[in-house]
Structures are given as C-alpha cells and as structure tokens.
Amino acid sequence: MDDYDPNSMSVAKAKLFIQQFLNPLTETERLPLSDALGRLLASAILSPAQVPNYDNSAMDGYAFNSLDLAPDGLTTLKVMGTAYAGKAFAASVHSGQCVRIMTGGMMPSGTDSVIMQEKVSLAADSISFSAPPQSKMNVRYAGEDLQLGQTVLAAGHLMQAADLGLVASLGIAEVEVYRKLKVAFFSTGDELAGIGQPLKIGQVYDSNRYTLYGMLSRLGVEVIDMGAIADDPVLLENTLLAATQKADVVITSGGVSVGEADHMKQLLSQHGQVVFWKIAMKPGRPLAYGKIAHAHYFGLPGNPVAVMVTFYQFVREALLMLMGQASPQALPTFHVTCTEAIKKQTGRTEFQRGILYTDEQGLWKVKPTGHQGSAILSSMSKANCFIVLDETVGNLDKGASVPVQVLHGLV
Ligand code: AMP
Ligand code: MG
C-alpha cells in the first residue's frame, strides 16, 4: 500500500489492508428454512414459480370485465355467484355479469377488474356503480411480485425474518447456507481475575471476554471461549496454538501495544505473519492483524471500551466477509445535531459514545454519554451510538451536525 505507516494508520486504510486477506468460507450445509435465520446463503434462491401464482383479487368486492364499464354513468351487472379465496370459480363470466369475490380469490375467467364492495349498491341479484377512472383495477397479477426463475435472494444474503417468509412463499423448505464461522478468543494479562472470585490487590475482573462473547454471539458465529491467560509465554503460546487449530478466527485482547515489550508480539511474529499498528483513532490505538497458519488473527487493545470500538470498526465487517457476505455494510450512519460542545484534537478519528434520542419536536438529537475514557465501560452501556469525528474535525460547538453510527441491538 502507498504511504503505509504502521505508526500512524488511518481507520479507513487499516480496514482496506485487512480486506485484502479475507477469504470467505467455502463449506456449506443444508438447513430447514427456520434454522437459516441469521445465516448466510451459500447459493442464490431462484423463484420456482410465479408469485402470486394466479391473478387474484386485492380486496373484497365484485369481479367483472372492464369492457362492461359504462364510459360515463352507471354500470349495472348481474351477480352470478361467489369466488372464495382458495377455490376457483367454476363458470366463465360473460358480458353484463359479475362475481362476488373475496380478497385473494382467483379471478374468474372472463374478468379482469374488481370493484370494491363499499362502492357498489346492491339490488336483488345485481350491482350498480359509477364508472371508476381506470380499468383492470384491484387485481394482483400472476408474477407481479416474482417471475419464474428470477433471483429472489443472492448468494451471501444474510437471512432475516422477512427472508424466511419470502422463501416460504415460494414453497422452499430447505436452504443451502455457509457453515458457521468459528471464532476463538481469550484475554491476556497478569492482572485479570475471573468473575465470581474475590479481587486481590492490583487485579481487575476480566470483562473483555464477556463483551466479546456478546458481540460475537450477536453476529451468529460459533464462539470458543479460551479463558483469561496470564502474561506467561508458555501459557500464551499453548493457548494461541490451540485456538488456531480450533477456529477460523482468533481474537485476543490486551498485550498488543506498540513499543510494549511483551510476549504476545514475539509469539505472533514467531508463529504467523502479523502487523502491529498504531491506529489514528481514539479509543483503540494499538491493533494487530494477521494470519497464524490458516486462522485470521485480531489483536485488540486491552481497554474495555477500545475492545468494543475496534470490534465494530474492524472485526465485525471482516467476520461478515469471512462468513460469506461479499460487501458487508458498515454500521448505519446518519447526521444529527449534537446537544453539547465537544473538545477534540485533529489528526485522529474519535468514536465518542452517544445517546440518540428524539426531542419534543420529534427530531433526532445526540448527546455524549459523559466521561469518554477508554476504560469507562459504563459509557458503552449507556450509549446507543458512536459519534464519529474524523481526523479533520477539531473542537465542535454545541448544535453542530455530527455523524452517528447506530448501535441499536448491538451493545
Ligand atoms: P494492555 O493492552 O494489556 O496493556 O491493557 C490495557 C488496559 O486494559 C489495562 O488497564 C488492563 O488492565 C486493561 N485490560 C486488559 N485486558 C482486560 C480485560 N480482559 N478486562 C478488563 N480490562 C482489561
Ligand atoms: Mg496486558
């Protein structure tokens, strides 16, 4: 890459660098439709039929032929019977005739239009209504949603609730998806204590493994928790090698600060090809990425907020690509007014934690969560977005328009 500088990498450049090495999974499995929720399609879904399958009524009313419409004045038609949804109307409809029809009822032969029941007056066995402005109305035509053979969902598509329904509407019971991506992770640090144990002097509870567990589970990968490992070269090496054997991706937190003499860096250089960056961002400056044998490796910073920020800026999209999505979308971003002034230096991208809310007029606004230190994990709990302030942005006045990345459902 041009102007590659590991000591000052922009967020965008680091993302591009990582993208070059992401080879999607190839193994697939066939699953019953419901089990495919949250999985990525390995082959496209093609429509095996027209949807809808036949011309049918869009409402409760009367089916007739538009040639019978009186151009100006009253149209009067004789009611020949009723067409219910789920049954074909046996007879043909001739000039001057109509059929009472229910929503979804198959259009009887000889008809092409439906007049809404509320618009007709019924007398004995005939209806009359004023000529509507257009013919061929209120009919859902065969194939108007999907044509036979049409690509309904492309390979790589992430299956959501609507997709389950869409595929079901085609009568398809099983789909081919990529197997789950396996992601192993562990924390590093002599100071880490496991939850449920009393803290000794100088210890902190290992929280990163729990945020990672949560973020990874939301992505639908298979998580392999390898524990909290002390800064001991033999333990770290054993854990790292075991992780690369079990998983497609290995994520660690802590111990990758540039300039810090520690075991992780040495092990990573010994067993794989890993680059260590100082990213021009806050929080989350140190970051490592590379490959150890076949496994992709992400070395995240130790600070709890930095772990989450780097995960959402670098790891999430990379995992989606490995899972089989060709070009994953970054988190949704839009501009809103910030209700407070923000102090910021230029030259790095900041991901401040923010609370998006609607004011009394119903307008979306954002308010920073308060103290923005990279160890203040409560700021992530309060936040529902990142306020993204890029390298060119300096101090901001109250009322400035700022881009926010929505974390709804992710934190
Ligand atoms: P490091 O990158 O290893 O120097 O860690 C940076 C900071 O993050 C230190 O204050 C660590 O104690 C803290 N830290 C590292 N790992 C964890 C963890 N798993 N849970 C909570 N804090 C951590
Ligand atoms: Mg450490």
Side-chain angles (χ1 to χ4, degrees):
M1 289 175 100
D2 293 349
D3 59 8
Y4 177 93
D5 178 1
N7 289 318
S8 175
M9 272 297 253
S10 74
V11 174
K13 235 183 269 175
K15 267 169 115 162
L16 278 179
F17 181 92
I18 293 169
Q19 264 174 31
Q20 308 173 72
F21 302 99
L22 302 173
N23 50 323
L25 285 177
T26 49
E27 297 103 303
T28 67
E29 55 186 324
R30 284 190 78 74
L31 291 181
L33 180 57
S34 306
D35 294 350
L37 183 66
R39 302 291 289 270
L40 285 113
L41 289 177
S43 47
I45 305 276
L46 305 182
S47 183
Q50 300 200 95
V51 177
N53 209 238
Y54 47 84
D55 296 351
N56 66 88
S57 175
M59 51 186 58
D60 293 343
Y62 296 85
F64 64 97
N65 193 310
S66 55
L67 294 173
D68 278 341
L69 285 172
D72 32 37
L74 213 63
T75 303
T76 301
L77 300 167
K78 187 158 189 252
V79 183
M80 305 307 293
T82 302
Y84 294 98
K87 277 192 212 100
F89 184 74
S92 275
V93 177
H94 302 291
S95 180
Q97 301 180 337
C98 70
V99 169
R100 170 110 174 92
I101 194 163
M102 305 304 155
T103 305
M106 190 170 173
M107 292 294 286
S109 98
T111 68
D112 65 3
S113 302
V114 172
I115 180 83
M116 207 177 179
Q117 64 185 14
E118 289 81 355
K119 295 211 167 142
V120 308
S121 37
L122 187 61
D125 61 350
S126 68
I127 58 163
S128 45
F129 57 94
S130 301
Q134 84 274 39
S135 61
K136 304 203 174 176
M137 56 183 181
N138 303 329
V139 179
R140 303 159 175 165
Y141 287 98
E144 76 175 20
D145 188 355
L146 301 170
Q147 287 292 334
L148 173 69
Q150 183 183 333
T151 299
V152 180
L153 295 170
H157 184 84
L158 174 65
M159 293 292 284
Q160 313 264 30
D163 306 316
L164 295 186
L166 182 62
V167 174
S169 77
L170 303 173
I172 296 173
E174 282 188 348
V175 293
E176 181 101 14
V177 297
Y178 290 109
R179 75 155 163 83
K180 278 194 176 182
L181 190 73
K182 293 180 199 156
V183 183
F185 57 99
F186 57 96
S187 299
T188 70
D190 279 338
E191 74 281 29
L192 302 180
I195 55 175
Q197 291 168 18
L199 273 187
K200 297 194 189 108
I201 289 173
Q203 287 190 322
V204 292
Y205 284 120
D206 172 15
S207 59
N208 290 344
R209 247 179 337 123
Y210 295 87
T211 39
L212 275 171
Y213 164 82
M215 295 187 293
L216 289 167
S217 300
R218 288 293 181 104
L219 277 181
V221 302
E222 188 179 320
V223 295
I224 306 170
D225 184 346
M226 308 285 290
I229 312 298
D231 291 317
D232 171 292
V234 176
L235 283 178
L236 287 170
E237 183 175 38
N238 291 344
T239 313
L240 184 69
L241 295 181
T244 57
Q245 272 156 25
K246 284 185 192 173
D248 305 300
V249 179
V250 177
I251 301 176
T252 62
S253 72
V256 293
S257 298
V258 177
E260 193 182 290
D262 67 41
H263 313 299
M264 271 318 275
K265 261 163 85 185
Q266 217 207 305
L267 280 173
L268 292 164
S269 332
Q270 191 184 331
H271 293 287
Q273 286 182 295
V274 177
V275 289
F276 297 87
W277 291 320
K278 277 187 194 161
I279 308 277
M281 71 189 279
K282 188 186 168 192
R285 226 154 96 83
L287 185 78
Y289 168 74
K291 292 201 75 174
I292 304 161
H294 75 281
H296 294 266
Y297 170 76
F298 291 90
L300 306 186
N303 274 311
V305 178
V307 167
M308 297 194 79
V309 173
T310 50
F311 184 91
Y312 283 122
Q313 304 313 316
F314 302 105
V315 184
R316 176 184 163 273
E317 280 163 67
L319 295 185
L320 287 171
M321 273 182 110
L322 293 172
M323 286 159 77
Q325 244 182 58
S327 40
Q329 296 281 305
L331 295 175
T333 301
F334 61 95
H335 279 75
V336 293
T337 303
C338 186
T339 57
E340 286 174 25
I342 293 181
K343 274 200 150 57
K344 179 186 174 290
Q345 290 172 19
T346 55
R348 65 184 183 205
T349 304
E350 285 197 19
F351 296 89
Q352 297 218 353
R353 275 70 69 210
I355 301 166
L356 268 171
Y357 68 98
T358 44
D359 69 7
E360 311 80 59
Q361 277 91 49
L363 296 172
W364 284 96
K365 297 259 170 83
V366 70
K367 171 177 161 257
T369 54
H371 189 16
Q372 296 284 328
S374 63
I376 313 283
L377 196 50
S378 60
S379 72
M380 274 312 299
S381 263
K382 285 184 199 145
N384 57 10
C385 70
F386 289 129
I387 303 170
V388 185
L389 306 171
D390 75 23
E391 298 173 26
T392 60
V393 174
N395 289 340
L396 289 173
D397 293 332
K398 177 178 168 166
S401 169
V402 293
V404 292
Q405 273 181 344
V406 182
L407 293 170
H408 183 77
L410 297 174
V411 290

